[in-house]
Amino acid sequence: MGTELTELSSEESDELSRRSPSRLSTCSDGTAVEPPSTPNLITEGCENVLDMTLTHLFKVDLHHSSPSSALDGGMNDTLCDTLEQATAEAENATRNAYQETFRRGKSERDALEAIHMAQASESLYIEELDMRKLAEEELKKEKEELDNMKSQRDKVKEELLLALDQKSSLESQLASSELAIKELEQKIISAVNLLQSYKNDRDELQMQHDNALREAEELRKRQGEALSTHVSQLFFEFSFSEIEEATSNFNPSLKIGEGGYGSIFKGILRQTEVAIKMLHPNSMQGPLEFQQEVDVLSKLRHPNLITLIGACPESWALVYEYLPNGSLEDRLVCKDNTPPLSWQTRIRIAAELCSALIFLHSCKPHSIVHGDLKPSNILLDANLICKLSDFGICRILSLHESSSNNTTQFWRTDPKGTFAYMDPELLASGELTPKSDVYSFGIILLRLLTGRQALGITKEVNYALDSGKLKSLLDPLAGDWPFVKAEQLTRLALRCCEMNRKSRPDLYSDVWRTLEPMRTSTGGTNSFGICFEGLYQPPAYFVCPIFQEVMRDPHVAADGFTYEAEAIRGWLDSGHDTSPMTNSKLANHNLVPNRALRSAIQDWLQTC
């Protein structure tokens, strides 16, 4: 048993020596004993181990003693058996203690390894947490970048949609421009052909022009007195000093217009507000235009033709009624921030212009073609009633000037006027006919509908009509156009603008019969009419402010207003010294006959 204990203790001793060699002690018989390595190894069995160890040492001491002496001392067998049993138990206890110590050492190592593993796991967990936080931050950043990309994508998508809309609009404009270019090319080709045909006659025409100037000068000298007499019978005849005084010596602040003929000034003549057209000093056609206007307007009276009040043969000046609302061109572009014309007013203006043209074309025995019809030559009075003006290049058509079929009258002439409103057949052939005015009227009607410029307008409107986009082309400044009326007027205007004059409608049977019901349905006042249809309402300035009747003997009072002579004399004779219109005190009681207005009224009464 002692040998087994020694062998066991030797194996355990080797193990323990490797772990803690400094803590082992050796007994006298060579047995190694390891005290507890840590306080944790002191357990409830430690005291038993110590007792067993002491017993073992005691046994060893006995072995070293002489056995014979012990026997001689009378030791009995029972004591020896007890001692051997105690020794065996001590050896067993020692072996068990060593085994327990070994197991506890192993447990300690396992615990330390577990602690290290736990610490390593904790470190890995912390690293994993850190990695997870970094991953979450990266994910958050990626999410923000993704949101930004989505936002940018939506923005790009919106810009793309806008670009597509703009592309569609630009394509539409491009198509319209191409159509306008084609129309312009056609007109240019016609103009070039006409120019080529006139090139050979240029020298002859220049000679005729020079001769016409000389004749005009001679006519001015020869017929000055006769013209003055003729003018005085129908109009006021003004001296140059009166013209200077009326315009404050041609003050630039009173200048209201400029044309090929010359400048137009606003002024006060004989207490009447007038517009004075002065011949430009360098104008080569002024004398001819002067004579043309006098010849035409002295014989014509219509509510929608401008009234020529008088003339100054000395300075080749023409005096007209003053119209405060400027030209139709000014109002279409809202010049000086003037309010736009409503669609009702535009329909009425178209009907009034049609009435004036029918009147001119149906004059007997010679019809008159205006030849320069455009919005800048259509003036508007205080009530926006239109007045056709500028008859300087109009033509009077005689029967012997008719064509071979004897149905169409024309005047062969050099094309004059504004290119965009000119009849293409006039450009090609040089023949001015009433249908030339119809073409110009169609362009004006399209401008009233759309508010757009004249050049290329027919192609643009045709394209919009064919593609179902007419509503988007109507001028929104005019208000909410009734689409049925607008479409009907558009088709009528395009018929007027046909390239072939024979395809254009008749003004009275087609155009007037379309416009008049429209004008009536808008609730407009009947301020005009057609002479050959019967009586029509007189212009407002034909009516006496006191009697409210058409004047027979109009006279101008000191307040600048025109009254029936009997009415104003009765007002003054009754003791009034104030104006019936303004209630302001009159400077005097003088009355001046308004011969120009009386002549206009008489012509109007004879016509109707």
Side-chain angles (χ1 to χ4, degrees):
M1 184 180 297
T3 304
E4 294 175 355
L5 177 60
T6 302
E7 292 176 355
L8 178 62
S9 296
S10 179
E11 293 176 357
E12 292 175 352
S13 178
D14 292 338
E15 177 65 24
L16 291 175
S17 296
R18 282 185 278 111
R19 295 179 61 244
S20 300
S22 62
R23 300 181 65 177
L24 294 175
S25 60
T26 307
C27 297
S28 59
D29 59 355
T31 304
V33 179
E34 180 185 11
S37 60
T38 64
N40 294 332
L41 297 178
I42 300 175
T43 61
E44 295 178 355
C46 288
E47 295 179 358
N48 295 330
V49 173
L50 182 59
D51 291 340
M52 292 178 181
T53 302
L54 292 176
T55 303
H56 174 69
L57 292 176
F58 175 73
K59 182 179 180 183
V60 172
D61 289 338
L62 290 179
H63 282 291
H64 284 285
S65 300
S66 176
S68 62
S69 298
L71 292 173
D72 290 340
M75 184 178 295
N76 55 27
D77 294 334
T78 303
L79 180 59
C80 289
D81 293 336
T82 303
L83 182 58
E84 289 178 358
Q85 184 178 0
T87 300
E89 290 176 357
E91 290 176 354
N92 289 333
T94 300
R95 186 173 57 254
N96 291 336
Y98 281 135
Q99 290 178 351
E100 181 66 25
T101 301
F102 179 79
R103 284 194 299 271
R104 290 192 178 185
K106 185 178 181 181
S107 297
E108 182 180 0
R109 289 197 307 273
D110 293 341
L112 289 174
E113 291 178 358
I115 290 172
H116 288 302
M117 292 180 65
Q119 290 176 345
S121 298
E122 183 179 3
S123 177
L124 291 174
Y125 178 71
I126 292 173
E127 290 179 0
E128 184 178 357
L129 287 178
D130 292 339
M131 293 294 291
R132 184 176 298 177
K133 289 181 180 178
L134 291 174
E136 289 178 352
E137 290 178 358
E138 291 293 331
L139 183 61
K140 185 177 180 181
K141 290 181 180 179
E142 291 179 357
K143 184 177 180 182
E144 291 177 354
E145 292 178 356
L146 181 60
D147 291 340
N148 290 334
M149 291 178 64
K150 287 182 178 178
S151 177
Q152 292 177 357
R153 183 198 63 187
D154 294 339
K155 185 176 180 180
V156 169
K157 186 176 180 181
E158 291 178 0
E159 293 177 351
L160 179 60
L161 292 175
L162 181 61
L164 290 175
D165 291 339
Q166 292 177 348
K167 178 185 176 183
S168 177
S169 176
L170 290 174
E171 287 177 349
S172 176
Q173 293 178 7
L174 180 61
S176 300
S177 300
E178 289 176 351
L179 293 174
I181 290 172
K182 289 181 180 179
E183 180 185 12
L184 185 59
E185 287 175 350
Q186 291 177 357
K187 287 192 174 183
I188 289 174
I189 291 172
S190 299
V192 169
N193 292 335
L194 182 62
L195 181 62
Q196 187 66 31
S197 67
Y198 288 153
K199 187 174 181 180
N200 297 330
D201 301 331
R202 180 180 58 187
D203 294 338
E204 181 181 354
L205 292 174
Q206 184 63 44
M207 292 177 58
Q208 292 178 0
H209 181 267
D210 295 339
N211 292 335
L213 285 179
R214 287 195 295 270
E215 290 176 2
E217 286 296 326
E218 293 176 1
L219 180 65
R220 178 178 179 180
K221 295 176 181 178
R222 272 195 329 266
Q223 297 184 351
E225 183 177 353
L227 179 61
S228 299
T229 303
H230 175 70
V231 169
S232 64
Q233 294 175 353
L234 297 175
F235 311 103
F236 282 125
E237 180 181 349
F238 302 103
S239 65
F240 183 68
S241 60
E242 285 183 291
I243 300 295
E244 284 185 313
E245 181 181 357
T247 60
S248 299
N249 200 22
F250 307 106
N251 190 328
S253 64
L254 297 176
K255 187 175 179 179
I256 59 175
E258 181 78 29
Y261 178 91
S263 301
I264 303 175
F265 294 86
K266 178 183 177 182
I268 301 293
L269 267 176
R270 301 183 186 178
Q271 302 175 346
T272 302
E273 200 171 35
V274 295
I276 302 171
K277 184 159 70 172
M278 294 296 303
L279 171 65
H280 195 282
N282 298 323
S283 174
M284 304 183 69
Q285 199 171 347
L288 297 178
E289 288 191 7
F290 177 90
Q291 187 65 48
Q292 181 90 319
E293 293 251 354
V294 170
D295 287 345
V296 173
L297 291 180
S298 65
K299 301 172 184 177
L300 299 178
R301 289 294 182 270
H302 186 276
N304 300 118
L305 298 181
I306 194 168
T307 299
L308 181 64
I309 295 177
C312 175
E314 181 183 353
S315 60
W316 302 99
L318 296 168
V319 181
Y320 301 92
E321 61 175 323
Y322 173 70
L323 302 175
N325 274 315
S327 69
L328 178 60
E329 179 68 37
D330 294 339
R331 297 307 299 268
L332 284 176
V333 299
C334 298
K335 183 180 179 181
D336 299 327
N337 293 322
T338 52
L341 300 172
S342 67
W343 64 267
Q344 296 93 333
T345 301
R346 299 185 191 206
I347 290 178
R348 178 177 55 75
I349 289 174
E352 291 171 351
L353 181 59
C354 179
S355 171
L357 291 176
I358 292 173
F359 172 75
L360 292 174
H361 295 173
S362 60
C363 284
K364 302 297 182 181
H366 309 302
S367 64
I368 298 173
V369 179
H370 187 275
D372 193 19
L373 200 60
K374 55 186 177 181
S376 59
N377 286 339
I378 300 170
L379 306 180
L380 301 173
D381 69 7
N383 298 316
L384 297 178
I385 303 300
C386 84
K387 306 276 186 174
L388 184 57
S389 67
D390 202 347
F391 286 79
I393 64 172
C394 73
R395 292 292 181 263
I396 300 173
L397 304 184
S398 303
L399 290 178
H400 65 274
E401 293 161 351
S402 62
S403 61
S404 59
N405 58 16
N406 204 28
T407 59
T408 302
Q409 295 180 330
F410 69 91
W411 181 288
R412 192 175 296 279
T413 181
D414 294 339
K416 299 175 184 178
T418 303
F419 181 75
Y421 298 89
M422 291 178 67
D423 176 10
E425 286 208 2
L426 170 62
L427 288 172
S429 66
E431 294 180 359
L432 180 68
T433 73
K435 288 298 180 73
S436 300
D437 281 347
V438 175
Y439 180 89
S440 304
F441 175 82
I443 299 294
I444 293 173
L445 186 53
L446 289 178
R447 289 206 61 195
L448 288 169
L449 285 162
T450 66
R452 305 199 175 212
Q453 293 301 315
L455 189 61
I457 195 172
T458 55
K459 297 296 183 182
E460 191 174 5
V461 173
N462 259 317
Y463 177 79
L465 194 63
D466 293 341
S467 60
K469 298 179 179 179
L470 176 62
K471 192 170 184 178
S472 64
L473 203 63
L474 298 176
D475 190 357
L477 296 177
D480 190 10
W481 282 91
F483 185 73
V484 175
K485 284 186 173 67
E487 185 178 14
Q488 189 177 4
L489 288 176
T490 301
R491 296 187 184 278
L492 178 66
L494 291 175
R495 288 177 57 207
C496 293
C497 298
E498 288 286 348
M499 299 291 287
N500 186 344
R501 69 164 66 109
K502 293 181 180 180
S503 301
R504 298 169 196 162
D506 180 74
L507 279 179
Y508 175 65
S509 61
D510 289 342
V511 181
W512 172 257
R513 293 189 183 278
T514 300
L515 286 172
E516 171 59 10
M518 287 189 184
R519 183 201 62 80
T520 304
S521 66
T522 62
T525 57
N526 187 16
S527 61
F528 63 97
I530 296 181
C531 299
F532 48 82
E533 278 196 316
L535 291 176
Y536 50 82
Q537 295 295 325
Y541 53 88
F542 283 10
V543 178
C544 173
I546 298 176
F547 283 171
Q548 292 297 311
E549 296 176 353
V550 176
M551 293 179 284
R552 303 285 178 172
D553 187 15
H555 279 63
V556 181
D559 60 358
F561 290 91
T562 301
Y563 306 89
E564 178 66 33
E566 181 183 353
I568 190 63
R569 287 195 182 102
W571 172 268
L572 297 174
D573 291 344
S574 63
H576 293 93
D577 60 354
T578 58
S579 167
M581 298 297 292
T582 65
N583 288 327
S584 300
K585 189 172 181 178
L586 294 171
N588 55 66
H589 288 187
N590 297 333
L591 299 176
V592 179
N594 192 335
R595 294 188 179 90
L597 183 59
R598 181 175 61 185
S599 174
I601 293 173
Q602 288 175 351
D603 289 345
W604 179 81
L605 291 173
Q606 291 174 2
T607 303
C608 299

